[in-house]
Amino acid sequence: MSRDTSALLGQLKIDREAAPESGSPSRKVLLATSVGLVIGIGIGLTIGLTGAPFFVENKAPLPAQNREPPARVLDLKPRTEKFRETILNASGYITPRRMATVSAEVMGLIHSVDVEEGMQVEQGQILARLDDVKARVAVNFAQAQIQVLQAQEASIHAKLKEAQRQYQRFAGLRDKNYSSKAQLTQSESSVEGLRADLASARANIQVAILEAERQRERLADHIIRAPFAGVVTTKNAQPGEIVAPSSAGGGFTRTGICTIVDMNSLEIEVDVNEAFIGRVAKGQKVNANLDAYPNWDIPATVIAIIPTADRAKATVRVRIAIDDKDARILPDMGVKVGFLAAAP
């Protein structure tokens, strides 16, 4: 402050020891004028120093119903994986690890198809049936062959018993010189021959049993069953069509009955530019968003980095496991993923 201001403030100093002059109005006027002058000088100095007027606002307390709510306390807990920084983005597709186009092991006419698209099937459930008339005839023929060979075995066995008895008679007569050595030798040879025939007949029976089993297996191949539990995504054949393991009949032959997908084996496959593959590691957390549901965050984890690169696209394929399974996730859906930074 200036010297004039200091002088004025000194004049306003109250002498506590002096007797108060209670009845002097001129002194009161002088005191009020001095206070006003000091306040004016103070405001002028404030405007000169700051360039803006200084106001003091005396606010009365607000009523209880108009008061603002207290400030929210910030949550200083560590951020979870959902709020980690995304260090790399990529796009790919939902891919099933277990998917099969079920066909028949034999060529045949489709008699019935027992599934439709979207149907849930269990392992071993019947999917379709082929016309099995010829296969049943083959099984019956094999069973008849077994019976024929068993009858031949019984006949040879009976002849063998008779030959053995004859040999024993010739051997007893030879001791008494009632039979010749040639008869004894011929009888012994007959026994040995029948024994060999009996062994051959028994072996033929075993072959016939195996053939019958093979024909039964072939008959069972006319029933197409689900190799694993899953959902039917495609129905490729209809009753009346010919199905075969390969396209032996050209374009008029079906090579598959239906396609089954194991929904529990769904995962994400993305192609990562090989220049950024160093940012990806096994076990790394990933945030995935389906193109169909862009606002739905799906937690996922890197399973493996395929140890080979695509020379044409300069990318490396990465497999990502879906941590939370959901019925909305379907095969071949487009998906965008963000690889998250490691937790601090």
Side-chain angles (χ1 to χ4, degrees):
M1 295 182 180
S2 63
R3 294 180 179 180
D4 296 337
T5 304
S6 300
L8 291 173
L9 293 176
Q11 294 177 3
L12 295 175
K13 183 177 180 182
I14 300 174
D15 189 0
R16 299 294 182 180
E17 296 178 357
E21 297 180 1
S22 58
S24 178
S26 60
R27 186 175 180 83
K28 294 181 180 180
V29 172
L30 179 62
L31 179 61
T33 304
S34 301
V35 171
L37 180 62
V38 171
I39 293 174
I41 294 173
I43 293 174
L45 291 175
T46 303
I47 296 174
L49 294 175
T50 62
F54 177 77
F55 297 97
V56 177
E57 183 180 1
N58 185 15
K59 293 184 177 180
L62 295 175
Q65 62 270 20
N66 295 330
R67 292 179 184 176
E68 295 182 357
R72 183 178 298 176
V73 180
L74 296 179
D75 187 8
L76 300 180
K77 295 181 180 179
R79 290 185 174 185
T80 59
E81 295 174 354
K82 183 178 179 181
F83 299 100
R84 292 182 189 174
E85 181 184 1
T86 300
I87 60 175
L88 181 64
N89 293 318
S91 60
Y93 297 93
I94 302 295
T95 305
R97 295 296 296 174
R98 296 184 69 188
M99 181 178 68
T101 299
V102 184
S103 182
E105 295 186 18
V106 296
M107 185 174 179
L109 178 68
I110 300 176
H111 183 268
S112 65
V113 179
D114 302 333
V115 294
E116 296 292 339
E117 292 91 339
M119 182 182 295
Q120 178 75 35
V121 297
E122 300 297 331
Q123 183 177 3
Q125 182 176 338
I126 297 176
L127 305 177
R129 299 174 185 270
L130 304 182
D131 187 7
D132 58 358
V133 175
K134 295 181 179 179
R136 291 186 181 277
V137 171
V139 171
N140 295 334
F141 179 78
Q143 293 289 346
Q145 286 290 103
I146 295 175
Q147 295 176 1
V148 170
L149 293 175
Q150 289 175 345
Q152 291 179 357
E153 178 195 14
S155 176
I156 295 172
H157 190 267
K159 292 179 180 179
L160 176 60
K161 286 185 176 181
E162 177 60 27
Q164 288 176 343
R165 287 193 296 266
Q166 188 174 1
Y167 173 76
Q168 292 176 357
R169 286 197 301 269
F170 282 127
L173 293 175
R174 176 62 181 165
D175 295 338
K176 298 178 182 179
N177 296 323
Y178 290 121
S179 63
S180 63
K181 186 176 181 180
Q183 291 176 333
L184 182 60
T185 303
Q186 184 178 5
S187 177
E188 182 180 4
S189 176
S190 178
V191 170
E192 294 297 330
L194 290 173
R195 286 177 178 173
D197 292 342
L198 181 61
S200 177
R202 289 175 177 174
N204 289 333
I205 291 174
Q206 293 299 321
V207 172
I209 292 174
L210 293 177
E211 177 63 20
E213 184 177 354
R214 187 173 72 90
Q215 293 298 333
R216 283 192 293 269
E217 290 292 334
R218 191 176 181 85
L219 176 62
D221 290 340
H222 286 70
I223 299 177
I224 295 90
R225 300 180 182 272
F228 52 82
V231 177
V232 178
T233 59
T234 307
K235 181 179 177 182
N236 302 321
Q238 298 291 339
E241 295 181 326
I242 300 294
V243 66
S246 60
S247 56
F252 297 99
T253 302
R254 296 290 185 181
T255 56
I257 300 295
C258 62
T259 300
I260 299 177
V261 174
D262 183 3
M263 292 300 180
N264 293 325
S265 68
L266 294 180
E267 64 182 28
I268 303 172
E269 284 190 2
V270 297
D271 290 332
V272 178
N273 193 307
E274 62 182 19
F276 305 107
I277 196 62
R279 303 183 185 181
V280 182
K282 182 179 180 180
Q284 184 177 3
K285 293 299 181 181
V286 176
N287 185 38
N289 297 97
L290 296 173
D291 293 346
Y293 307 99
N295 297 325
W296 176 27
D297 294 334
I298 304 173
T301 307
V302 175
I303 301 176
I305 301 173
I306 307 303
T308 185
D310 189 327
R311 182 182 301 180
K313 298 187 295 183
T315 57
V316 177
R317 188 157 54 95
V318 178
R319 292 175 52 205
I320 302 172
I322 301 172
D323 295 340
D324 294 338
K325 303 295 183 181
D326 194 278
R328 292 173 289 179
I329 304 175
L330 303 177
D332 297 329
M333 271 188 167
V335 61
K336 293 179 176 60
V337 300
F339 296 90
L340 304 179

